[in-house]
Amino acid sequence: MTTQPTEPAGRTPITSAADIDLNDWDFWGRPDEEREHAFRLLRDLDKPAFFPEPEFSLGGITGPGYHALVRHADILEASRNPEVFCSGDGGATNIPDLPGEFAEYFGSMINMDDPRHARLRRIVSRAFTPRMIKQFESDVDAAASRIVDELLETGSGCDFVTEVAAKLPLKIICDMMGIPEKDYRFVFDRSNIVLGATDPEYVSKREDIAHALLTAGMELQQLVQDLAALRIETPTDDLTSSLVNANIDGERLTAQELGSFFILLVVAGNETTRNAISHGMRLLTLNPDQRRLWLEDFEGRAPRAIEEIVRLAAPVNYMRRKVTRDHEMNGNLYRKGEKVLLYYWAANRDERVFDDPLRFDILRDPNPHVGFGGPGPHFCLGAHLARREITAMFRELLRRVPQIEAGTPERLLSSFINGIKHMPCEF
């Protein structure tokens, strides 16, 4: 993480790859069309661009730099080869290696390699199979319906992100874990800090970022560990009870592992689905022909429409990997110890894979996007749940508020999350 930006008086146009600095906060504050142009220039290079590592405001060791993988083919191959492109050596969610004190709260599965990653995923994955998700489909549908009830009760517009998009995944994740409704806001605020600490709305001063992250992580972990202690004594049918009492081939989650998993769950399952719904609403507003097309056959076209929303939303901009040994991939050599960033947002716009990639097309087929991560062991565990939530939310919105339109979004200032903080809507 680097210093926070000040609002520039004017931006220098990007005319070549030499003008691009992915460590510059001004770059991540640019409009989508400018970033899309920049990543197209990077994809056209003979080999992935190399950038020095940014100044790390959280401590730790700043390494020599990273290769920016922006082509779909590179991201697929790196994702399928975790033995060479590993997640566990320093972390997958940050560019410089994660300082040791952060591992207690943020050292979840996403920052691990096998066999430890496989062990944890084996324990928690039973809650995220299609069969298990089908069991609470009615809960997702009922929650989406209630959110639209509340929207209609306002009788006018609102902040779509906080009043619609954020509510559904937050409720579902908290209900799954057994977190009571009185703590929803607490979880919402802390997850905003975890993923939005570089945005001045959530952490106003650069020097406060480390403290804010550690405090938010500690508070989220304490919340679920207190609940876990109760569920060990008095189990219920929630996910926390299942996790703390699971014994799969003699394996159990430790209290620290449970806490880190919960942070991953509320951040990945809450923030990313929220952003997919928000981006989806904006895309439907900007493309009324696609909205009409979907309304003609909502159920029949929903699966492809959801994949297209996730492709263009790409809620997570990148994940990091570290090279474990010298390796040649797609004609380029990567040395042991080097880092690569897998820019999913850029890969989802790769002209080599997607025809007219900037066009929103709810009938797009095939659609081999990497919006849920690339193939391999780190493919999003909650992809089925996310698809279900996005579908339920748009079913209610398009059926009951078909005239709803989204205004200009206020973007999250982050190189990691392609987030929307606020977005007015009218109906």
Side-chain angles (χ1 to χ4, degrees):
M1 297 180 182
T2 65
T3 57
Q4 296 183 36
T6 56
E7 187 64 25
R11 291 190 172 96
T12 302
I14 294 174
T15 58
S16 71
D19 299 325
I20 302 167
D21 180 3
L22 297 182
N23 297 324
D24 183 359
W25 278 110
D26 178 39
F27 176 82
W28 296 103
R30 289 176 181 262
D32 274 357
E33 58 268 20
E34 294 184 28
R35 286 194 284 164
E36 285 163 346
H37 172 65
F39 279 113
R40 185 166 59 250
L41 292 172
L42 293 177
R43 284 193 298 271
D44 287 341
L45 295 175
D46 292 336
K47 61 181 180 179
F50 188 84
F51 295 90
E53 292 192 22
E55 173 193 347
F56 198 35
S57 60
L58 304 182
I61 299 174
T62 299
Y66 59 92
H67 302 273
L69 303 189
V70 295
R71 290 185 182 180
H72 192 271
D74 285 341
I75 288 174
L76 289 190
E77 187 167 343
S79 299
R80 291 184 180 122
N81 200 346
E83 296 82 9
V84 174
F85 297 95
C86 77
S87 302
D89 187 359
T93 57
N94 41 281
I95 301 175
D97 289 355
L98 194 69
E101 62 268 29
F102 284 79
E104 180 179 354
Y105 306 115
F106 306 111
S108 60
M109 293 188 301
I110 207 167
N111 291 317
M112 293 179 188
D113 298 305
D114 291 343
R116 191 181 178 208
H117 169 267
R119 168 186 169 268
L120 288 179
R121 191 167 177 118
R122 183 166 59 249
I123 293 173
V124 303
S125 63
R126 295 188 177 189
F128 293 93
T129 63
R131 181 181 62 83
M132 291 297 293
I133 289 170
K134 191 169 183 60
Q135 291 181 6
F136 55 85
E137 277 185 356
S138 60
D139 295 337
V140 174
D141 293 342
S145 178
R146 179 57 188 158
I147 290 167
V148 174
D149 288 344
E150 294 169 352
L151 175 67
L152 291 171
E153 287 169 7
T154 67
S156 61
C158 67
D159 184 338
F160 184 84
V161 177
T162 59
E163 299 305 315
V164 179
K167 284 186 174 181
L168 181 60
L170 178 67
K171 174 176 174 53
I172 296 305
I173 293 297
C174 287
D175 287 356
M176 284 176 63
M177 293 294 292
I179 304 295
E181 186 173 356
K182 67 180 179 64
D183 290 324
Y184 287 3
R185 185 72 197 188
F186 177 90
V187 173
F188 177 77
D189 290 341
R190 272 60 180 182
S191 63
N192 278 341
I193 291 172
V194 171
L195 283 184
T198 54
D199 190 302
E201 177 174 340
Y202 302 117
V203 180
S204 60
K205 297 180 181 178
R206 174 197 169 209
E207 57 268 24
D208 294 338
I209 289 177
H211 176 73
L213 280 171
L214 286 171
T215 300
M218 177 187 67
E219 291 176 337
L220 286 171
Q221 188 173 92
Q222 190 63 56
L223 176 70
V224 75
Q225 288 179 348
D226 289 346
L227 180 62
L230 294 175
R231 294 297 188 260
I232 290 173
E233 297 297 326
T234 310
T236 65
D237 59 355
D238 60 34
L239 181 57
T240 300
S241 295
S242 299
L243 293 176
V244 297
N245 294 294
N247 188 330
I248 300 174
D249 299 329
E251 297 176 318
R252 293 179 180 271
L253 289 179
T254 67
Q256 187 273 328
E257 289 170 341
L258 177 66
S260 294
F261 171 70
F262 176 60
I263 293 172
L264 172 64
L265 188 64
V266 297
V267 170
N270 175 15
E271 296 275 350
T272 56
T273 305
R274 170 213 304 191
N275 284 311
I277 293 171
S278 299
H279 282 286
M281 190 69 256
R282 181 63 175 165
L283 287 166
L284 290 168
T285 299
L286 295 176
N287 298 273
D289 60 321
Q290 297 300 299
R291 183 199 298 244
R292 288 192 296 270
L293 192 63
W294 198 359
L295 278 168
E296 289 173 3
D297 180 10
F298 181 89
E299 298 301 334
R301 292 170 179 162
R304 289 186 187 176
I306 298 309
E307 298 306 312
E308 181 71 344
I309 287 172
V310 174
R311 179 183 76 87
L312 285 173
V316 176
N317 282 322
Y318 74 81
M319 284 289 175
R320 194 204 86 179
R321 302 289 186 260
K322 187 178 285 188
V323 183
T324 62
R325 62 176 182 267
D326 289 0
H327 180 75
E328 183 174 319
M329 180 177 73
N330 294 333
N332 295 300
L333 180 63
Y334 300 87
R335 298 288 187 181
K336 179 180 179 180
E338 291 183 337
K339 300 173 184 178
V340 298
L341 262 61
L342 282 59
Y343 279 100
Y344 305 119
W345 191 87
N348 281 349
R349 289 155 170 77
D350 191 338
E351 303 83 355
R352 298 159 186 80
V353 177
F354 303 99
D355 292 332
D356 195 3
L358 302 186
R359 178 169 55 91
F360 177 54
D361 178 7
I362 68 164
L363 301 182
R364 187 180 293 275
D365 184 43
N367 191 351
H369 68 80
V370 288
F372 289 120
H378 287 284
F379 182 80
C380 178
L381 187 63
H384 294 299
L385 176 59
R387 291 182 177 110
R388 180 64 194 165
E389 291 176 347
I390 299 167
T391 302
M393 196 72 257
F394 280 110
R395 179 186 293 113
E396 290 295 317
L397 287 168
L398 295 182
R399 180 174 64 86
R400 300 173 59 192
V401 202
Q403 73 277 25
I404 188 170
E405 291 190 348
T408 302
E410 184 178 346
R411 304 296 295 272
L412 180 72
L413 187 56
S414 171
S415 63
F416 182 60
I417 294 294
N418 184 33
I420 297 177
K421 297 186 297 181
H422 305 288
M423 184 170 67
C425 71
E426 296 181 354
F427 55 92

